[in-house]
Amino acid sequence: MRIAFTILLNGKRHLLHNDYYKKIIKSFDKWVIVEGVAGNTGSTSWCKKLPKTLHNNYLSNDGTTQFIDELAQKYSNVKVVRSLTGLWENKDQQVNAAIAEIKKTSNSCFLW
C-alpha cells in the first residue's frame, strides 16, 4: 500500500494549486489528513503561540475544513482526523494520530 499523510491548517489554497489534491488522491491508496492547530510543546516548543485570527476554534478558517470534509465524503481513500479536544498538543501528536489511523488499515506500507 502507498499511504500519505498531511498535517494541515489553512491549506486549501495549496491543495487547489495545480489540482494538487487530485494528484495525491490518484497516487495513494490512502490519504490521512490531520487538521488543526498544534500547540508549542515537544518538537514545536520553539514556535510561538498561533494568534486566534489564524484559526476558528483550532481549525482552519480559510475554507479548508469544509473542503477536506467534502473530499472525505467523495473519496473513500481520504480520511480526516481532528483532535477531540480542539488543540493538538504539538506536531508530534498530529503525526502519531496519523500513524494510528494508518495502522487501522495496514501494518505494512510505503508512507509519505
Side-chain angles (χ1 to χ4, degrees):
M1 280 191 98
R2 294 164 307 182
I3 301 176
F5 76 88
T6 304
I7 296 172
L8 188 63
L9 180 72
N10 294 331
K12 182 179 176 184
R13 177 175 61 95
H14 300 287
L15 295 176
L16 292 173
H17 182 73
N18 293 326
D19 291 331
Y20 184 65
Y21 74 96
K22 289 180 183 177
K23 293 173 187 170
I24 295 174
I25 290 169
K26 290 178 185 177
S27 298
F28 293 94
D29 300 308
K30 184 169 185 160
W31 181 20
V32 178
I33 303 169
V34 181
E35 186 196 15
V37 173
N40 53 351
T41 66
S43 65
T44 48
S45 61
W46 58 273
C47 296
K48 294 180 182 177
K49 185 176 178 182
L50 195 66
K52 289 184 180 184
T53 57
L54 297 178
H55 63 87
N56 180 21
N57 293 322
Y58 304 114
L59 295 178
S60 301
N61 64 3
D62 70 341
T64 297
T65 301
Q66 296 79 10
F67 181 70
I68 61 176
D69 283 346
E70 290 170 11
L71 290 179
Q73 288 176 354
K74 186 174 180 180
Y75 300 98
S76 61
N77 64 328
V78 176
K79 174 67 176 176
V80 177
V81 178
R82 296 188 177 101
S83 172
L84 298 175
T85 62
L87 176 69
W88 294 97
E89 289 179 26
N90 48 47
K91 294 200 183 300
D92 304 324
Q93 188 184 35
Q94 290 177 301
V95 170
N96 288 334
I99 291 170
E101 183 60 39
I102 291 164
K103 284 183 175 182
K104 293 178 185 177
T105 304
S106 176
N107 288 325
S108 176
C109 68
F110 292 102
L111 179 61
W112 281 269

PDB file of all heavy atoms in Angstrom, residues 45-70:
ATOM      1  N   SER A  45       8.163  23.172  20.411  1.00  0.00           N
ATOM      2  CA  SER A  45       8.303  24.048  21.583  1.00  0.00           C
ATOM      3  C   SER A  45       8.963  25.384  21.240  1.00  0.00           C
ATOM      4  O   SER A  45       8.807  26.357  21.970  1.00  0.00           O
ATOM      5  CB  SER A  45       9.100  23.348  22.687  1.00  0.00           C
ATOM      6  OG  SER A  45      10.395  23.035  22.235  1.00  0.00           O
ATOM      7  N   TRP A  46       9.658  25.439  20.145  1.00  0.00           N
ATOM      8  CA  TRP A  46      10.319  26.676  19.725  1.00  0.00           C
ATOM      9  C   TRP A  46       9.350  27.646  19.037  1.00  0.00           C
ATOM     10  O   TRP A  46       9.669  28.817  18.834  1.00  0.00           O
ATOM     11  CB  TRP A  46      11.483  26.361  18.773  1.00  0.00           C
ATOM     12  CG  TRP A  46      11.038  25.597  17.558  1.00  0.00           C
ATOM     13  CD1 TRP A  46      10.917  24.242  17.439  1.00  0.00           C
ATOM     14  CD2 TRP A  46      10.625  26.147  16.319  1.00  0.00           C
ATOM     15  NE1 TRP A  46      10.456  23.898  16.194  1.00  0.00           N
ATOM     16  CE2 TRP A  46      10.264  25.063  15.473  1.00  0.00           C
ATOM     17  CE3 TRP A  46      10.507  27.432  15.819  1.00  0.00           C
ATOM     18  CZ2 TRP A  46       9.817  25.237  14.171  1.00  0.00           C
ATOM     19  CZ3 TRP A  46      10.056  27.603  14.513  1.00  0.00           C
ATOM     20  CH2 TRP A  46       9.722  26.510  13.707  1.00  0.00           C
ATOM     21  N   CYS A  47       8.148  27.172  18.692  1.00  0.00           N
ATOM     22  CA  CYS A  47       7.174  28.005  17.973  1.00  0.00           C
ATOM     23  C   CYS A  47       6.440  28.950  18.921  1.00  0.00           C
ATOM     24  O   CYS A  47       6.226  28.637  20.092  1.00  0.00           O
ATOM     25  CB  CYS A  47       6.137  27.127  17.280  1.00  0.00           C
ATOM     26  SG  CYS A  47       6.799  26.067  16.001  1.00  0.00           S
ATOM     27  N   LYS A  48       6.002  30.071  18.362  1.00  0.00           N
ATOM     28  CA  LYS A  48       5.157  30.994  19.111  1.00  0.00           C
ATOM     29  C   LYS A  48       3.719  30.492  19.074  1.00  0.00           C
ATOM     30  O   LYS A  48       3.330  29.748  18.173  1.00  0.00           O
ATOM     31  CB  LYS A  48       5.216  32.387  18.491  1.00  0.00           C
ATOM     32  CG  LYS A  48       6.573  33.042  18.596  1.00  0.00           C
ATOM     33  CD  LYS A  48       6.543  34.409  17.975  1.00  0.00           C
ATOM     34  CE  LYS A  48       7.919  35.053  18.032  1.00  0.00           C
ATOM     35  NZ  LYS A  48       7.931  36.357  17.367  1.00  0.00           N
ATOM     36  N   LYS A  49       2.934  30.901  20.038  1.00  0.00           N
ATOM     37  CA  LYS A  49       1.518  30.545  20.064  1.00  0.00           C
ATOM     38  C   LYS A  49       0.843  31.174  18.849  1.00  0.00           C
ATOM     39  O   LYS A  49       1.090  32.331  18.514  1.00  0.00           O
ATOM     40  CB  LYS A  49       0.877  31.047  21.358  1.00  0.00           C
ATOM     41  CG  LYS A  49      -0.553  30.620  21.527  1.00  0.00           C
ATOM     42  CD  LYS A  49      -1.102  31.077  22.873  1.00  0.00           C
ATOM     43  CE  LYS A  49      -2.555  30.691  23.019  1.00  0.00           C
ATOM     44  NZ  LYS A  49      -3.122  31.169  24.276  1.00  0.00           N
ATOM     45  N   LEU A  50      -0.006  30.410  18.187  1.00  0.00           N
ATOM     46  CA  LEU A  50      -0.679  30.881  16.986  1.00  0.00           C
ATOM     47  C   LEU A  50      -1.793  31.861  17.354  1.00  0.00           C
ATOM     48  O   LEU A  50      -2.652  31.538  18.183  1.00  0.00           O
ATOM     49  CB  LEU A  50      -1.252  29.689  16.210  1.00  0.00           C
ATOM     50  CG  LEU A  50      -1.672  29.945  14.784  1.00  0.00           C
ATOM     51  CD1 LEU A  50      -0.454  30.273  13.921  1.00  0.00           C
ATOM     52  CD2 LEU A  50      -2.385  28.734  14.231  1.00  0.00           C
ATOM     53  N   PRO A  51      -1.820  33.040  16.744  1.00  0.00           N
ATOM     54  CA  PRO A  51      -2.885  34.014  17.042  1.00  0.00           C
ATOM     55  C   PRO A  51      -4.264  33.474  16.672  1.00  0.00           C
ATOM     56  O   PRO A  51      -4.409  32.736  15.687  1.00  0.00           O
ATOM     57  CB  PRO A  51      -2.530  35.215  16.163  1.00  0.00           C
ATOM     58  CG  PRO A  51      -1.130  35.017  15.738  1.00  0.00           C
ATOM     59  CD  PRO A  51      -0.862  33.548  15.781  1.00  0.00           C
ATOM     60  N   LYS A  52      -5.269  33.843  17.428  1.00  0.00           N
ATOM     61  CA  LYS A  52      -6.637  33.371  17.190  1.00  0.00           C
ATOM     62  C   LYS A  52      -7.182  33.806  15.839  1.00  0.00           C
ATOM     63  O   LYS A  52      -8.103  33.188  15.306  1.00  0.00           O
ATOM     64  CB  LYS A  52      -7.563  33.846  18.313  1.00  0.00           C
ATOM     65  CG  LYS A  52      -7.301  33.145  19.614  1.00  0.00           C
ATOM     66  CD  LYS A  52      -8.283  33.559  20.696  1.00  0.00           C
ATOM     67  CE  LYS A  52      -7.968  32.818  21.975  1.00  0.00           C
ATOM     68  NZ  LYS A  52      -8.925  33.107  23.034  1.00  0.00           N
ATOM     69  N   THR A  53      -6.606  34.845  15.264  1.00  0.00           N
ATOM     70  CA  THR A  53      -7.064  35.317  13.953  1.00  0.00           C
ATOM     71  C   THR A  53      -6.718  34.332  12.839  1.00  0.00           C
ATOM     72  O   THR A  53      -7.267  34.436  11.740  1.00  0.00           O
ATOM     73  CB  THR A  53      -6.440  36.687  13.615  1.00  0.00           C
ATOM     74  OG1 THR A  53      -5.004  36.567  13.670  1.00  0.00           O
ATOM     75  CG2 THR A  53      -6.907  37.758  14.568  1.00  0.00           C
ATOM     76  N   LEU A  54      -5.828  33.379  13.102  1.00  0.00           N
ATOM     77  CA  LEU A  54      -5.406  32.424  12.084  1.00  0.00           C
ATOM     78  C   LEU A  54      -6.128  31.083  12.160  1.00  0.00           C
ATOM     79  O   LEU A  54      -5.794  30.156  11.420  1.00  0.00           O
ATOM     80  CB  LEU A  54      -3.890  32.205  12.167  1.00  0.00           C
ATOM     81  CG  LEU A  54      -3.037  33.434  11.878  1.00  0.00           C
ATOM     82  CD1 LEU A  54      -1.558  33.111  12.028  1.00  0.00           C
ATOM     83  CD2 LEU A  54      -3.324  33.992  10.489  1.00  0.00           C
ATOM     84  N   HIS A  55      -7.113  30.984  13.054  1.00  0.00           N
ATOM     85  CA  HIS A  55      -7.874  29.740  13.137  1.00  0.00           C
ATOM     86  C   HIS A  55      -9.272  30.007  13.670  1.00  0.00           C
ATOM     87  O   HIS A  55      -9.581  31.091  14.158  1.00  0.00           O
ATOM     88  CB  HIS A  55      -7.151  28.700  14.008  1.00  0.00           C
ATOM     89  CG  HIS A  55      -6.975  29.098  15.445  1.00  0.00           C
ATOM     90  ND1 HIS A  55      -7.929  28.855  16.399  1.00  0.00           N
ATOM     91  CD2 HIS A  55      -5.941  29.714  16.078  1.00  0.00           C
ATOM     92  CE1 HIS A  55      -7.495  29.305  17.574  1.00  0.00           C
ATOM     93  NE2 HIS A  55      -6.283  29.836  17.391  1.00  0.00           N
ATOM     94  N   ASN A  56     -10.123  29.004  13.534  1.00  0.00           N
ATOM     95  CA  ASN A  56     -11.500  29.059  14.020  1.00  0.00           C
ATOM     96  C   ASN A  56     -11.685  27.902  14.991  1.00  0.00           C
ATOM     97  O   ASN A  56     -11.886  26.766  14.567  1.00  0.00           O
ATOM     98  CB  ASN A  56     -12.479  28.959  12.847  1.00  0.00           C
ATOM     99  CG  ASN A  56     -13.917  29.005  13.283  1.00  0.00           C
ATOM    100  OD1 ASN A  56     -14.240  29.473  14.370  1.00  0.00           O
ATOM    101  ND2 ASN A  56     -14.803  28.505  12.438  1.00  0.00           N
ATOM    102  N   ASN A  57     -11.580  28.192  16.277  1.00  0.00           N
ATOM    103  CA  ASN A  57     -11.661  27.137  17.296  1.00  0.00           C
ATOM    104  C   ASN A  57     -10.687  25.998  16.993  1.00  0.00           C
ATOM    105  O   ASN A  57     -11.043  24.825  17.027  1.00  0.00           O
ATOM    106  CB  ASN A  57     -13.081  26.603  17.445  1.00  0.00           C
ATOM    107  CG  ASN A  57     -14.007  27.642  18.017  1.00  0.00           C
ATOM    108  OD1 ASN A  57     -13.625  28.415  18.884  1.00  0.00           O
ATOM    109  ND2 ASN A  57     -15.227  27.691  17.506  1.00  0.00           N
ATOM    110  N   TYR A  58      -9.450  26.361  16.656  1.00  0.00           N
ATOM    111  CA  TYR A  58      -8.337  25.446  16.404  1.00  0.00           C
ATOM    112  C   TYR A  58      -8.427  24.712  15.066  1.00  0.00           C
ATOM    113  O   TYR A  58      -7.628  23.838  14.789  1.00  0.00           O
ATOM    114  CB  TYR A  58      -8.149  24.459  17.547  1.00  0.00           C
ATOM    115  CG  TYR A  58      -7.954  25.138  18.870  1.00  0.00           C
ATOM    116  CD1 TYR A  58      -8.899  25.015  19.884  1.00  0.00           C
ATOM    117  CD2 TYR A  58      -6.844  25.933  19.106  1.00  0.00           C
ATOM    118  CE1 TYR A  58      -8.723  25.665  21.103  1.00  0.00           C
ATOM    119  CE2 TYR A  58      -6.668  26.582  20.315  1.00  0.00           C
ATOM    120  CZ  TYR A  58      -7.605  26.445  21.304  1.00  0.00           C
ATOM    121  OH  TYR A  58      -7.435  27.082  22.498  1.00  0.00           O
ATOM    122  N   LEU A  59      -9.389  25.061  14.216  1.00  0.00           N
ATOM    123  CA  LEU A  59      -9.467  24.505  12.870  1.00  0.00           C
ATOM    124  C   LEU A  59      -9.223  25.626  11.861  1.00  0.00           C
ATOM    125  O   LEU A  59      -9.214  26.807  12.206  1.00  0.00           O
ATOM    126  CB  LEU A  59     -10.825  23.852  12.625  1.00  0.00           C
ATOM    127  CG  LEU A  59     -11.146  22.632  13.483  1.00  0.00           C
ATOM    128  CD1 LEU A  59     -12.543  22.126  13.174  1.00  0.00           C
ATOM    129  CD2 LEU A  59     -10.118  21.525  13.258  1.00  0.00           C
ATOM    130  N   SER A  60      -9.061  25.252  10.617  1.00  0.00           N
ATOM    131  CA  SER A  60      -8.789  26.220   9.558  1.00  0.00           C
ATOM    132  C   SER A  60      -9.912  27.247   9.440  1.00  0.00           C
ATOM    133  O   SER A  60     -11.085  26.945   9.680  1.00  0.00           O
ATOM    134  CB  SER A  60      -8.648  25.491   8.228  1.00  0.00           C
ATOM    135  OG  SER A  60      -7.602  24.547   8.288  1.00  0.00           O
ATOM    136  N   ASN A  61      -9.550  28.452   9.040  1.00  0.00           N
ATOM    137  CA  ASN A  61     -10.569  29.493   8.858  1.00  0.00           C
ATOM    138  C   ASN A  61     -10.586  30.038   7.431  1.00  0.00           C
ATOM    139  O   ASN A  61     -11.099  31.116   7.174  1.00  0.00           O
ATOM    140  CB  ASN A  61     -10.391  30.630   9.874  1.00  0.00           C
ATOM    141  CG  ASN A  61      -9.092  31.391   9.719  1.00  0.00           C
ATOM    142  OD1 ASN A  61      -8.309  31.140   8.815  1.00  0.00           O
ATOM    143  ND2 ASN A  61      -8.863  32.342  10.614  1.00  0.00           N
ATOM    144  N   ASP A  62     -10.037  29.266   6.500  1.00  0.00           N
ATOM    145  CA  ASP A  62      -9.979  29.694   5.096  1.00  0.00           C
ATOM    146  C   ASP A  62     -10.802  28.812   4.158  1.00  0.00           C
ATOM    147  O   ASP A  62     -10.653  28.863   2.953  1.00  0.00           O
ATOM    148  CB  ASP A  62      -8.519  29.708   4.627  1.00  0.00           C
ATOM    149  CG  ASP A  62      -7.946  28.305   4.506  1.00  0.00           C
ATOM    150  OD1 ASP A  62      -8.512  27.366   5.100  1.00  0.00           O
ATOM    151  OD2 ASP A  62      -6.917  28.156   3.815  1.00  0.00           O
ATOM    152  N   GLY A  63     -11.659  27.963   4.705  1.00  0.00           N
ATOM    153  CA  GLY A  63     -12.456  27.049   3.888  1.00  0.00           C
ATOM    154  C   GLY A  63     -11.864  25.647   3.786  1.00  0.00           C
ATOM    155  O   GLY A  63     -12.468  24.756   3.194  1.00  0.00           O
ATOM    156  N   THR A  64     -10.676  25.456   4.359  1.00  0.00           N
ATOM    157  CA  THR A  64     -10.023  24.145   4.308  1.00  0.00           C
ATOM    158  C   THR A  64     -10.866  23.065   4.977  1.00  0.00           C
ATOM    159  O   THR A  64     -11.012  21.963   4.441  1.00  0.00           O
ATOM    160  CB  THR A  64      -8.626  24.210   4.969  1.00  0.00           C
ATOM    161  OG1 THR A  64      -7.808  25.111   4.235  1.00  0.00           O
ATOM    162  CG2 THR A  64      -7.969  22.849   5.024  1.00  0.00           C
ATOM    163  N   THR A  65     -11.412  23.368   6.150  1.00  0.00           N
ATOM    164  CA  THR A  65     -12.203  22.377   6.897  1.00  0.00           C
ATOM    165  C   THR A  65     -13.324  21.815   6.035  1.00  0.00           C
ATOM    166  O   THR A  65     -13.490  20.602   5.920  1.00  0.00           O
ATOM    167  CB  THR A  65     -12.766  23.010   8.188  1.00  0.00           C
ATOM    168  OG1 THR A  65     -11.676  23.466   8.986  1.00  0.00           O
ATOM    169  CG2 THR A  65     -13.598  22.014   8.976  1.00  0.00           C
ATOM    170  N   GLN A  66     -14.075  22.697   5.420  1.00  0.00           N
ATOM    171  CA  GLN A  66     -15.191  22.271   4.576  1.00  0.00           C
ATOM    172  C   GLN A  66     -14.683  21.507   3.349  1.00  0.00           C
ATOM    173  O   GLN A  66     -15.263  20.490   2.952  1.00  0.00           O
ATOM    174  CB  GLN A  66     -16.019  23.480   4.140  1.00  0.00           C
ATOM    175  CG  GLN A  66     -16.686  24.207   5.282  1.00  0.00           C
ATOM    176  CD  GLN A  66     -15.748  25.143   6.061  1.00  0.00           C
ATOM    177  OE1 GLN A  66     -14.618  25.419   5.680  1.00  0.00           O
ATOM    178  NE2 GLN A  66     -16.233  25.623   7.202  1.00  0.00           N
ATOM    179  N   PHE A  67     -13.597  21.992   2.763  1.00  0.00           N
ATOM    180  CA  PHE A  67     -13.055  21.370   1.555  1.00  0.00           C
ATOM    181  C   PHE A  67     -12.601  19.938   1.821  1.00  0.00           C
ATOM    182  O   PHE A  67     -12.942  19.022   1.067  1.00  0.00           O
ATOM    183  CB  PHE A  67     -11.899  22.214   1.007  1.00  0.00           C
ATOM    184  CG  PHE A  67     -11.298  21.667  -0.248  1.00  0.00           C
ATOM    185  CD1 PHE A  67     -11.998  21.694  -1.445  1.00  0.00           C
ATOM    186  CD2 PHE A  67     -10.025  21.110  -0.237  1.00  0.00           C
ATOM    187  CE1 PHE A  67     -11.444  21.182  -2.601  1.00  0.00           C
ATOM    188  CE2 PHE A  67      -9.465  20.599  -1.388  1.00  0.00           C
ATOM    189  CZ  PHE A  67     -10.172  20.634  -2.584  1.00  0.00           C
ATOM    190  N   ILE A  68     -11.847  19.724   2.895  1.00  0.00           N
ATOM    191  CA  ILE A  68     -11.361  18.360   3.161  1.00  0.00           C
ATOM    192  C   ILE A  68     -12.489  17.437   3.619  1.00  0.00           C
ATOM    193  O   ILE A  68     -12.451  16.232   3.354  1.00  0.00           O
ATOM    194  CB  ILE A  68     -10.153  18.330   4.119  1.00  0.00           C
ATOM    195  CG1 ILE A  68     -10.487  18.920   5.471  1.00  0.00           C
ATOM    196  CG2 ILE A  68      -8.955  19.023   3.478  1.00  0.00           C
ATOM    197  CD1 ILE A  68      -9.346  18.840   6.495  1.00  0.00           C
ATOM    198  N   ASP A  69     -13.507  18.003   4.274  1.00  0.00           N
ATOM    199  CA  ASP A  69     -14.680  17.184   4.614  1.00  0.00           C
ATOM    200  C   ASP A  69     -15.377  16.707   3.341  1.00  0.00           C
ATOM    201  O   ASP A  69     -15.811  15.554   3.256  1.00  0.00           O
ATOM    202  CB  ASP A  69     -15.657  17.963   5.491  1.00  0.00           C
ATOM    203  CG  ASP A  69     -15.208  18.068   6.931  1.00  0.00           C
ATOM    204  OD1 ASP A  69     -14.279  17.341   7.344  1.00  0.00           O
ATOM    205  OD2 ASP A  69     -15.797  18.903   7.663  1.00  0.00           O
ATOM    206  N   GLU A  70     -15.470  17.578   2.346  1.00  0.00           N
ATOM    207  CA  GLU A  70     -16.069  17.205   1.059  1.00  0.00           C
ATOM    208  C   GLU A  70     -15.226  16.139   0.359  1.00  0.00           C
ATOM    209  O   GLU A  70     -15.777  15.198  -0.223  1.00  0.00           O
ATOM    210  CB  GLU A  70     -16.217  18.434   0.165  1.00  0.00           C
ATOM    211  CG  GLU A  70     -17.282  19.394   0.643  1.00  0.00           C
ATOM    212  CD  GLU A  70     -17.274  20.724  -0.108  1.00  0.00           C
ATOM    213  OE1 GLU A  70     -16.582  20.848  -1.151  1.00  0.00           O
ATOM    214  OE2 GLU A  70     -17.952  21.654   0.364  1.00  0.00           O
TER     215      GLU A  70
END
